[in-house]
Amino acid sequence: MLLSTLKRGAIALLLTGCAATNPSPAPDFTSYVVLGEYGAAVARVLIDAPACPAIVINQHSQPMQLRAPAQTIALRATPSAPADSKPAEFPLLTCETPLPAGTTSASVLGRALPLPKAEPQRIVVIGDTGCRLQKSSNSWQACNDSQQYPFATTAAQAAAWKPDLVIHVGDYHYRENACPDGNAGCAGSPWGYGWDAWDADFFAPGARLLDAAPWIMARGNHENCLRGGQGYWRFLDPRPLLKGRDCNAAADDDVGNYSDPYAVPISQATQLLVLDTANTTWKGLKPGDIGYARYQDLYRKMAALSQQAPNNLAIAHHPLLGMGADRKADGSIVLLPGDAGLQAAMGSVNPQYFPPAVQALLSGHVHLWQQTSFSSGHPSQFIAGFAGTSEDIVPLPERLPPGVTPAPGAVVEHFSSWVDGFGFMTMERRGAQQWHVEVHDLQGTIRNRCELDGRRSRCEVAQVK
């Protein structure tokens, strides 16, 4: 809700450092830190105020820069229900300031910001966190029920684990359409692609985890230009916000739907490679499609980045090397392979899909937890799309049937999954190529433990019950 003119005036005094006879309390605002290219940290503040606040870095105050003004973006039709679309309202400023290397303290309006560590040892991995309200699929998650939409609990438990870094593998925004009349589970929920839905889906429930550590914000298909892309570019992407890449105009979508990969070093020998796969399609891509050429280019740039370090973990919303499941009308179950669009485009450059220095892929998109390892030299696949969105409930087998594979040429050696359970994944460094992985439920209980060594991984439990 917009602040009144009177309250805005009081905040203006606070932001400029002027004294007031009866000073008003500091305004509500959202703050967080995102990591971008080469590990550069950017402090962000979202605030309903006449100007960006000051940030105090190493006890020195300076003004924050305006990334995006308060504005209403012209109507773009919602793909899931065009007749129910509305303009996207962003009634607050997005402010930012790069945090220099060596920053030892940073705060905004008295609130301390989490600072990056040169070599993070404890990493939380989450994904698919929003509350699903979608007319086209008749999906109406009970956003008002913390058991059926538990992202706030997930975030609080993950924060209590005290991570050094948080990786979100994409799909933050799910509240696309208005809750139907008479549905108490989601009654009163905001919807659409403006700030109110973004706040309800991500910033408010994720607040404790946003305060706990810096984040890497990968982009999912729910953040392509036809959906929540405007909010993604405005709030989450670590790079400068450029006109034409902001998803505000449909004519620019061929630019706004794609972006280059970037590397985030997390030690002298290891880096994270963040890939934007927002506009791929499970139906597949073929030569001549714009996505085919863009994801070929994505592979080549990822391969070049991977040569900067001997060990790499790739982050992409869509799992090229993971499995899903669906139930047919007759009740039978069909197993679904990894994303066909990326497999076609990236596989045309390298049949292994990833360069040799990439040891694992961290993904979401499938609403469950999963681990897959291969005897064919492919990197391990971990899926952590189980943090809040309505879970996939069609069961996966404890072992994949002979010949079943998530991708052409990939031979599955070890497979583990957890279907229909909410939680988060953690990774702890054990060596240059070794990571200890744990799967946590909403009570913080560890439900599975895995070891990643080089490109191969194995878990204690094949199927979490």
Side-chain angles (χ1 to χ4, degrees):
M1 181 180 294
L2 288 171
L3 298 174
S4 67
T5 303
L6 181 61
K7 192 173 181 182
R8 279 181 173 274
I11 292 172
L13 291 176
L14 185 149
L15 293 174
T16 57
C18 297
T21 304
N22 296 303
S24 297
D28 290 334
F29 65 98
T30 297
S31 60
Y32 51 102
V33 173
V34 295
L35 298 185
E37 296 176 271
Y38 305 109
V42 181
R44 292 260 168 87
V45 167
L46 314 178
I47 189 167
D48 185 0
C52 287
I55 184 171
V56 179
I57 300 175
N58 295 344
Q59 300 182 341
H60 296 286
S61 180
Q62 65 184 72
M64 300 191 78
Q65 294 83 48
L66 180 66
R67 177 178 176 85
Q71 62 185 141
T72 297
I73 310 300
L75 175 67
R76 292 198 58 171
T78 303
S80 61
D84 295 341
S85 301
K86 62 181 179 180
E89 296 183 5
F90 297 102
L92 74 177
L93 308 180
T94 302
C95 306
E96 63 183 1
T97 297
L99 297 177
T103 296
T104 58
S105 66
S107 64
V108 174
L109 298 175
R111 182 188 299 171
L113 299 173
L115 300 179
K117 294 185 177 180
E119 297 194 5
Q121 304 296 310
R122 295 166 62 84
I123 300 175
V124 160
V125 184
I126 59 172
D128 299 85
T129 50
C131 184
R132 191 179 189 92
L133 301 180
Q134 188 180 55
K135 188 173 184 179
S136 62
S137 61
N138 196 31
S139 299
W140 308 107
Q141 191 172 354
C143 307
N144 301 328
D145 186 332
S146 62
Q147 297 299 310
Q148 296 188 56
Y149 175 57
F151 177 44
T153 302
T154 304
Q157 287 286 2
W161 190 75
K162 299 188 182 305
D164 301 325
L165 174 67
V166 177
I167 296 172
H168 195 301
V169 294
D171 278 6
Y172 311 77
H173 179 285
Y174 278 82
R175 302 185 194 221
E176 298 185 274
N177 302 119
C179 180
D181 291 341
N183 186 325
C186 56
S189 173
W191 62 278
Y193 298 111
W195 162 249
D196 55 354
W198 269 95
D199 189 33
D201 246 2
F202 178 64
F203 290 105
R208 290 181 63 178
L209 194 51
L210 288 167
D211 288 341
W215 285 52
I216 289 175
M217 310 278 203
R219 186 182 184 190
N221 57 295
H222 278 253
E223 291 81 50
N224 70 15
C225 284
L226 281 176
R227 305 175 95 172
Q230 295 162 341
Y232 174 80
W233 284 113
R234 175 179 289 259
F235 299 137
L236 305 184
D237 192 86
R239 293 162 288 201
L241 179 61
L242 303 177
K243 183 176 175 57
R245 198 168 71 174
D246 51 19
C247 293
N248 287 348
D252 298 326
D253 282 0
D254 286 348
V255 175
N257 272 330
Y258 306 93
S259 61
D260 288 344
Y262 58 91
V264 180
I266 56 172
S267 77
Q268 291 185 345
T270 304
Q271 61 184 0
L272 304 173
L273 303 178
V274 187
L275 314 180
D276 179 353
T277 64
N279 212 46
T280 185
T281 171
W282 61 271
K283 297 178 181 179
L285 294 165
K286 59 184 184 299
D289 294 338
I290 183 171
Y292 190 90
R294 293 296 178 91
Y295 293 126
Q296 284 182 316
D297 184 60
L298 178 82
Y299 175 88
R300 294 187 181 101
K301 289 175 177 174
M302 170 184 60
L305 289 171
S306 74
Q307 296 176 21
Q308 299 174 166
N311 307 306
N312 294 266
L313 300 174
I315 304 167
H317 178 67
H318 295 81
L320 281 77
L321 300 170
M323 299 295 302
D326 198 5
R327 195 180 296 277
K328 295 182 178 180
D330 63 4
S332 62
I333 294 174
V334 57
L335 296 178
L336 306 174
D339 185 82
L342 296 175
Q343 289 175 359
M346 294 170 62
S348 71
V349 186
N350 179 359
Q352 295 290 104
Y353 307 108
F354 290 90
V358 173
Q359 65 178 116
L361 175 62
L362 310 179
S363 302
H365 193 60
V366 188
H367 300 168
L368 46 73
W369 177 85
Q370 188 180 124
Q371 167 269 344
T372 314
S373 182
F374 305 90
S375 61
S376 49
H378 294 78
S380 283
Q381 171 78 72
F382 289 89
I383 300 175
F386 66 131
T389 300
S390 295
E391 292 288 349
D392 290 348
I393 59 174
V394 178
L396 289 166
E398 186 170 330
R399 293 177 178 83
L400 295 179
V404 172
T405 178
V411 181
V412 175
E413 183 176 40
H414 300 295
F415 181 73
S416 180
S417 64
W418 184 21
V419 177
D420 196 18
F422 290 106
F424 61 99
M425 188 176 95
T426 60
M427 303 180 69
E428 290 186 85
R429 191 193 306 271
R430 291 289 189 261
Q433 290 191 317
Q434 292 77 40
W435 292 86
H436 176 68
V437 176
E438 293 179 343
V439 183
H440 304 247
D441 65 18
L442 292 176
Q443 288 71 48
T445 303
I446 298 170
R447 304 297 296 273
N448 206 351
R449 294 177 175 88
C450 314
E451 303 299 330
L452 172 64
D453 188 350
R455 285 192 149 193
R456 286 182 161 172
S457 57
R458 189 165 189 169
C459 301
E460 291 181 358
V461 179
Q463 194 171 63
V464 178
K465 303 293 186 181

